[in-house]
């Protein structure tokens, strides 16, 4: 069970092997990653989430390794780049919360209009992306397997200088860090208080979680009379210190000697050469605070910044007179001591000096850290808010150059672009109108720089009515009252589920110092402060704009930015996901599905969700779990012990169960049929290319979306019943053929591969041919033998028990009994056993967890269409999966500036995309009259075939195209486009469905085209070279079902067998038609198997008759186009007037290294297209073929810090063919690529200006659709757009 749960977790928290460097030669890194799941299978999901988040494999997989903050890149490279958004999106969509709000039972939470509600938007994605900055691999080490010098095994470290420092908005309208105590509220000398933690550094004096430049800095030495010394020494009554690795104080300690004079410590020396690092407890800061004071360096006054005088964030500087701009001295109790401004004031007064605005500090005693730490300067300051047109703000520390001529730290200057989201009251904020910003200063024509004021108020003035009221009203946390001095706080009142603490206890009053103790619904103990802090901007008309004062973990002061606080922020973010109300039901649905129930009832999901949230599940007198939220032992118990998983009565439900995963079927077969290795010294089972045959193998994922989509609805009875079957994604013709051929090969020849055929799940280990019952080529074989003297019925019953859990129907048993008897009589008992095993492993009882009710009626074989004699045509849909960065496919090249745009379009493109822009001299020129004042556009240098086709008027582009409900701008795009924008799976479906409002749900645009043409007596065929695709899904049962073809070529079903016809006949008998009340999973398997056998026969024979011999290369897309070419050539054998093909090319999710990836991908695509065009011309079909390219979305114009781009929206696509009216760019290429554009929605995302609804009607018309009513079926949303393209726009 532990291994099964680990397998479940690995399919949710996915590492796509091809996303990781060295995947083809290294195994230890994947084993190390998988060990996370084995280790924590019955542990807590938070631990799993934490470990995968720090995994270098996950960081490479989802491209956040070495992601850096906008501020860091601006400072070091003077470029505008943003944090990589990949992990921020997928950790929610796939690992925790999902996309839509759920009830505990997994049903959707609907709004007042009955619509689903999104968990997050791009606002939250951009915010969380900044959390995942700063992660870097550990240094390489010996004794582990390496592909290169990158450590892909050890948990990552955090580089604090890369980390984004600013507040991060959360999923509830607040901030990461809400309900954590403010650092200014921590009790004095927190390093001696309960909860203070110390970490042994041994002989090193350099802290590991704080930033110090020198290991030689003199540290704070403890007195032997100190209570802290006693705890850290831990001599246990002897005279010898034991120095525990980690020490956490469980009581408050009294200070001793110099300890009483300092505000905090960093590293303490206990005995000579033995050091501990003090780890302060997590706390947060407000970016807006009163009485801000300026901080300066000691000798280099560059990069001043403001500090909160109540926090120990700087060291001292004392002058003889204030503002003397002269020499200051520092009075510290240890080197680089941090103190509050009040402590500095006291130190200076003791020296008969004053705080001052100094010129420099005498640094003789500060030689090790002279320009690292900041010093307090007596210069009262104020903090401003820079507001952009979206209402996001950036922190500005004064807008003028200070008197010493040095600019402030760049990330708080007036030109800062470090914006973060805040929630303005009534959504009102300063905006630039008529060249003014009210009381604020206008910057850059669009931003407002505003002075701020702070309001701190008491929330509750008397005892609240409930704990929920307290939790919902209070956002600022508080320290545990027990951490303060004895009797400082006391319990003043209690209520249902909470306690009230006042300063002075019962004699106190409700004020901003009141603390509430409360436990939330997830079992977390919270201490909350009775205070609200708001920031206001006054307006000349007397009104004000207000937002809640945010919180942040990371200090804005460079010397105080450290890994410790970055880790606290990371943990707070992980807990934010983990404790979200959606996480339990979202995960439970996926867990239950992976345990074999595709459509769990709401009751079942709620039982699992409850176990996850409570950490407990009670069954048969046993209480499973620890009682902690997220406990996986309780969760697994609730799944496998629930009546829906164990009761036999529920199996009568037609929706019960699931189709089994291919790999689980293989492992089950090998275990039950007693697989044995022939090599006793190396019994390891080695599979080879098994994922190519049946679609599944550990870590052979195509993408982070795993093997199966939880919401997948296969056509047929399951889709008609609005149910799902994720595993049905693996029962198309190539995978069914590969799976059953592989099983039969293992049964007949052992674990090997037959020469020249490529069948079998492993490579051969010896020479020789493949002969039934001979295992000379195999590394092992199935060694099951029935009990001695067992009758035929007993043998088949035993096989049924082992292979189908005894579910094999009586009718199927009888079929297999007869075959067994026949083979036993004609050959021998072993031959009969092998044939019985082959047949039983084809049954729906083996391939599903259910039992069918057979009707006794054979399934009819599909009938090939009859050509009508009309001219042949073909549509090829080429999908670039992952979101192609098509603004580096099609680029302005030779352009002019205009009065409204002072820079030409290419320069504007470079300014917007730097550093991921293409060089002008490398662009392949094409004519582009009429687009953004350019005479020429350019194509990526790898796209020479596209350039040739464009210049010969056989290829055109559609500019800024994408999924769109109606013409939109930034004010209305959300309500006009009701889908999960920017999510791969949803946007892929929307691009292929072209039915945004679900008027013809469950179908695709080309499936509906096939429906219309079939109804008009056009013999239509639909084929996918990349598995089942929604674009080919039809509405009508009259349309021929889509055929799935393996991109690597055709394999014959039931190969190399003298009894092939007999086997196929018996397989069809075992998978005969079922009754109306038969199980849907079993029916789906049998229907697809029957269909696959027929399709395989037709396709295999037609492919063998193809005369195409031209080489398409050995790369994947070329092989797929070669198959398409062969199918077009043999269309008469298949009987089609019109063929529709779907082909996909993966790898375009370019969150990192966009240019190198596009160079590789475009090169492969260009070669495949060139070969395809050449072959179509050679067989005389060039004028009959139209190729339409698409992708789920474009990408952000602005880059991220990994030289990549993130999920965008509008993008550029192309269409080509001999009859295409090419040589032009249709639609409108954006003339403004910035967020200031009416179609710019932030972070370089552009709303499309051309919809697919404007394109497909013309394509349909060209392929024979003439009636408006038919076009309405194909594109039900087309009338929302007034300017659809005509057939003559697109075709000659």
């Amino acid at each position: 069970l532990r291994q099964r749960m680990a397998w479940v977790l690995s399919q949710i928290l996915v590492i796509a092997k091809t996303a990781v460097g060295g995947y083809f030669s290294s195994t230890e890194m994947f084993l190390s990653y998988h060990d996370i799941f084995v280790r924590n299978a019955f542990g807590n999901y938070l631990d799993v989430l934490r470990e995968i988040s720090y995994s270098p494999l996950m960081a490479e997989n989802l491209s956040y390794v070495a992601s850096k903050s906008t501020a860091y890149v601006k400072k070091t490279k003077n470029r505008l780049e943003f944090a990589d958004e990949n992990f921020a999106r997928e950790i929610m969509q796939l690992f925790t919360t999902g996309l839509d709000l759920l009830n505990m039972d997994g049903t959707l939470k609907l709004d007042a209009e009955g619509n689903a509600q999104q968990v997050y938007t791009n606002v939250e994605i951009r915010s969380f992306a900044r959390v995942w900055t700063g992660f870097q691999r550990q240094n390489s080490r010996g004794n582990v397997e390496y592909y290169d010098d990158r450590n892909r095994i050890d948990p990552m470290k955090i580089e604090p200088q890369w980390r984004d420092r600013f507040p991060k908005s959360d999923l509830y309208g607040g901030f990461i860090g809400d309900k954590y105590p403010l650092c200014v509220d921590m009790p004095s000398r927190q390093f001696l208080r309960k909860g203070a933690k110390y970490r042994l550094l041994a002989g090193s004096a350099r802290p590991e979680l704080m930033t110090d430049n020198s290991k030689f800095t003199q540290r704070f030495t403890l007195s032997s009379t100190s209570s802290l010394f006693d705890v850290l020494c831990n001599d246990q009554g002897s005279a010898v210190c034991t120095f525990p690795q980690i020490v956490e104080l469980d009581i408050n300690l009294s200070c001793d000697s110099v300890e009483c004079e300092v505000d905090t410590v960093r590293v303490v020396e206990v005995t000579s050469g033995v050091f501990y690092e003090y780890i302060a407890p997590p706390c947060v800061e407000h970016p807006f605070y009163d009485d801000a004071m300026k901080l300066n360096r000691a000798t280099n006054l560059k990069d001043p910044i403001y500090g909160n005088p109540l926090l120990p964030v700087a060291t001292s500087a004392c002058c003889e007179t204030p503002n003397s701009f002269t020499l200051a001295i520092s009075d510290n109790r240890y080197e680089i001591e941090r103190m509050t401004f009040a402590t500095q004031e006291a130190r200076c007064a003791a020296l008969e000096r004053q705080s001052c605005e100094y010129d420099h500090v005498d640094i003789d005693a500060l030689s090790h850290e002279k320009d690292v730490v900041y010093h307090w300067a007596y210069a009262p300051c104020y903090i401003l808010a820079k507001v952009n047109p979206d209402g996001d703000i950036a922190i500005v520390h004064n807008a003028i150059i200070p008197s010493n001529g040095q600019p402030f730290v760049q990330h708080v200057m007036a030109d800062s672009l470090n914006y973060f989201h805040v929630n303005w009251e009534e959504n009102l904020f300063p905006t630039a109108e008529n060249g003014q910003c009210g009381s604020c200063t206008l910057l850059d024509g669009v931003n407002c720089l505003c002075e701020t004021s702070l309001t701190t108020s008491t929330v509750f003035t008397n005892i609240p009515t409930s704990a929920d009221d307290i939790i919902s009203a209070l956002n600022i946390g508080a320290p545990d009252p027990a951490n303060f001095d004895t009797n400082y706080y006391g319990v003043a009142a209690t209520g249902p589920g909470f306690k009230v603490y006042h300063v002075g206890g019962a004699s106190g009053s409700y004020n901003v110092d009141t603390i509430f103790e409360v436990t939330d619904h997830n079992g977390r103990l919270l201490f909350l402060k009775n205070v609200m802090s708001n920031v206001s901007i006054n307006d000349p008309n007397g009104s004000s704009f207000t937002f809640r004062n945010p919180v942040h973990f990371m200090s804005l002061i460079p010397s105080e930015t450290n890994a410790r606080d970055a880790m606290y922020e990371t943990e707070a973010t992980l807990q934010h996901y983990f404790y979200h109300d959606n996480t339990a039901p979202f995960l439970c649905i996926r867990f239950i599905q992976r345990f074999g129930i595709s459509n769990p009832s709401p009751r079942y999901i709620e039982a699992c969700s409850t176990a996850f949230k409570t950490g407990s599940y009670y069954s048969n007198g046993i209480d499973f779990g620890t009682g902690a939220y997220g406990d996986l032992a309780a969760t697994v118990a609730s799944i496998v012990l629930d009546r829906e998983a164990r009761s036999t009565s529920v199996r009568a439900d037609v929706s019960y169960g699931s189709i089994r995963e291919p790999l689980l079927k293989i492992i089950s077969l090998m275990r039950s049929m007693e697989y044995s290795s022939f090599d006793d010294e190396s019994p390891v089972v080695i599979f080879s290319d098994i994922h190519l045959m049946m679609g599944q193998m550990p870590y052979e994922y195509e993408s982070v979306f795993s093997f199966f989509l939880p919401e997948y609805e296969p056509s047929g009875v399951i889709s008609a019943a609005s149910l799902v079957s994720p595993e049905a994604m693996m029962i198309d013709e190539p995978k069914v053929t590969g799976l059953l051929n592989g099983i039969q090969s293992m049964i007949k020849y052992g674990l090997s591969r037959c020469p020249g055929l490529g069948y079998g799940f492993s490579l051969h280990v010896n020479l020789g041919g493949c002969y039934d019952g001979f295992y000379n080529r195999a590394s092992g074989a199935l060694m099951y033998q029935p009990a001695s003297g067992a009758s035929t019925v007993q043998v088949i019953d035993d096989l049924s028990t082992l292979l189908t859990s005894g579910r094999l129907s009586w009718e199927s048993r009888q079929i297999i009994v007869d075959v067994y008897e026949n083979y036993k009589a004609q050959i021998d008992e072993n031959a009969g056993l092998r044939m019985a095993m082959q047949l039983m492993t084809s049954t729906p009882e083996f391939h599903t967890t259910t039992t069918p009710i057979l009707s006794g009626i054979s399934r009819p074989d599909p009938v090939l269409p009859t050509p009508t004699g009309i001219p042949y045509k073909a549509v090829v849909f080429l999908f670039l999966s992952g979101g192609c960065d098509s603004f580096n496919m099609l680029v302005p090249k030779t352009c002019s500036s205009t009065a409204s745009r002072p820079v030409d379009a290419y320069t504007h493109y470079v300014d917007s995309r730097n550093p991921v822009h293409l060089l002008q001299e490398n662009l392949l020129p094409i004519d582009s009259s009429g687009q953004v004042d350019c005479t020429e556009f350019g194509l990526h240098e790898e796209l020479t075939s596209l350039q040739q086709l464009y210049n010969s008027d056989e290829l055109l582009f559609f500019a800024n195209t994408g999924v769109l409900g109606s013409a939109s701008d930034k004010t209305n795009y959300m309500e006009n486009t009701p889908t999960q924008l920017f999510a791969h799976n949803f946007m892929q479906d929307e691009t292929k469905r072209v039915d945004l409002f679900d008027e013809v749900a469950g179908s695709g645009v080309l499936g509906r085209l096939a429906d219309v043409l079939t109804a008009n007596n056009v013999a239509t065929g639909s084929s996918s070279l990349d598995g089942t695709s929604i674009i080919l899904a039809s509405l009508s049962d009259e349309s021929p079902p889509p055929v799935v073809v393996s991109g690597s070529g055709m394999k014959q079903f039931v190969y190399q067998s003298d009894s092939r016809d007999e086997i196929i006949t018996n397989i069809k008998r075992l998978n005969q038609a079922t009754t109306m009340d038969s199980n849907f999973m079993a029916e789906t398997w049998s229907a697809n198997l029957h269909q696959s056998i027929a399709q395989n026969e037709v396709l295999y024979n037609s492919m063998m008759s193809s005369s195409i011999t031209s080489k398409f290369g050995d790369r994947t897309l070329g092989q797929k186009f070669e198959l398409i070419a062969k199918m077009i050539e043999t269309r008469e054998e298949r009987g089609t007037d019109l063929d529709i093909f779907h082909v996909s090319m993966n790898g375009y999710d370019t969150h990192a290294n966009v240019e190198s990836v596009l160079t590789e991908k475009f090169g492969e695509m260009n070669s495949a297209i060139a070969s395809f065009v050449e072959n179509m011309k050679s067989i005389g079909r060039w004028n009959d073929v139209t190729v339409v390219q698409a992708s789920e979305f474009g990408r952000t114009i602005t880059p991220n810090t990994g030289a990549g781009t993130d999920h965008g929206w509008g993008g550029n696509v192309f269409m080509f063919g001999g009859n295409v009216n090419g040589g032009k760019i249709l639609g409108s290429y954006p003339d403004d690529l910035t967020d200031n554009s009416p179609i710019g929605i932030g972070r370089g995302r552009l709303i499309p200006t051309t919809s697919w609804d404007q394109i497909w009607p013309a394509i349909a018309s060209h392929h024979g659709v003439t009636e408006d009513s038919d076009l309405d079926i194909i594109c039900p949303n087309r009338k929302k757009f007034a300017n659809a393209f005509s057939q003559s726009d697109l075709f000659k």
Side-chain angles (χ1 to χ4, degrees), residues 570-584:
T570 301
E571 182 67 16
T573 304
L574 291 173
Q575 291 194 27
H576 186 66
Y577 303 146
F578 175 65
Y579 286 108
H580 192 279
D581 289 343
N582 249 46
T583 299

Side-chain angles (χ1 to χ4, degrees), residues 22 86 128 133 202 380 663 734 745-746 834 910 919 935 940 1194 1252 1263 1288:
N86 200 6
F128 288 126
T133 53
L663 186 62
S745 175
M746 187 184 298
R834 289 193 299 274
V910 172
L919 297 178
T935 58
H940 191 283
W1252 285 108
H1263 289 88
S1288 61

Side-chain angles (χ1 to χ4, degrees), residues 953-958 1185-1188 1213-1227 1250-1263 1283-1292:
D953 296 338
E954 294 170 310
L955 181 145
L956 58 79
F957 284 94
F958 299 103
V1185 176
T1186 302
V1187 178
V1188 182
V1213 298
F1214 59 81
M1215 182 175 86
F1216 67 85
N1219 208 20
V1220 169
N1221 185 10
K1224 56 190 176 183
I1225 302 171
L1226 298 178
T1250 296
S1251 168
W1252 285 108
D1253 297 276
Q1254 298 168 265
I1255 296 171
W1256 281 114
I1259 297 173
S1261 297
H1262 175 71
H1263 289 88
N1283 53 346
F1285 298 111
S1286 66
Q1287 184 176 348
S1288 61
D1289 289 331
L1290 307 190
F1291 296 95
K1292 298 169 184 173

Side-chain angles (χ1 to χ4, degrees), residues 783-855:
M783 306 305 290
Y784 165 83
Q785 286 293 317
S788 176
S791 67
T792 297
V793 171
Q794 289 173 327
V795 170
I796 303 307
D797 282 348
D798 197 36
L799 286 177
S800 172
T801 299
L802 294 171
L803 294 175
T804 72
S805 299
R807 289 179 284 101
L808 191 68
S809 68
W810 182 89
E811 298 91 338
S812 295
R813 287 173 193 258
Q814 197 56 50
I815 292 170
I816 298 174
V817 163
D818 292 343
V819 171
Y820 178 88
E821 287 281 8
N822 183 44
Y823 271 74
K824 180 179 177 181
Q826 292 189 12
I827 306 175
D828 59 32
E829 189 171 347
N830 286 331
L833 180 64
R834 289 193 299 274
M835 182 55 68
M837 290 164 63
Q838 290 179 68
L839 293 179
M840 198 170 295
T841 53
S842 76
T843 64
E845 291 93 334
F846 175 77
H847 289 277
T848 74
T849 61
T850 67
T851 301
I853 302 175
L854 303 181
S855 66

Side-chain angles (χ1 to χ4, degrees), residues 1137-1193:
D1137 296 324
L1138 183 138
D1139 272 313
I1140 298 171
F1141 299 99
H1142 165 263
V1143 60
S1144 181
M1145 184 183 186
N1146 295 329
Y1148 283 90
D1149 195 15
T1150 50
H1151 288 278
N1153 306 314
V1154 59
E1155 183 46 32
S1156 61
V1157 174
L1158 287 186
T1159 296
E1160 177 189 351
K1161 292 297 177 183
F1162 283 171
E1164 180 180 352
M1165 179 177 71
N1166 188 76
S1167 176
I1169 288 174
S1171 297
F1172 181 70
V1173 171
E1174 177 187 349
N1175 276 274
M1176 289 301 96
K1177 289 179 178 179
S1178 69
I1179 64 174
R1181 290 297 182 191
W1182 174 234
N1183 290 336
D1184 304 329
V1185 176
T1186 302
V1187 178
V1188 182
Q1189 176 265 318
S1191 193
E1192 60 259 49
F1193 41 63

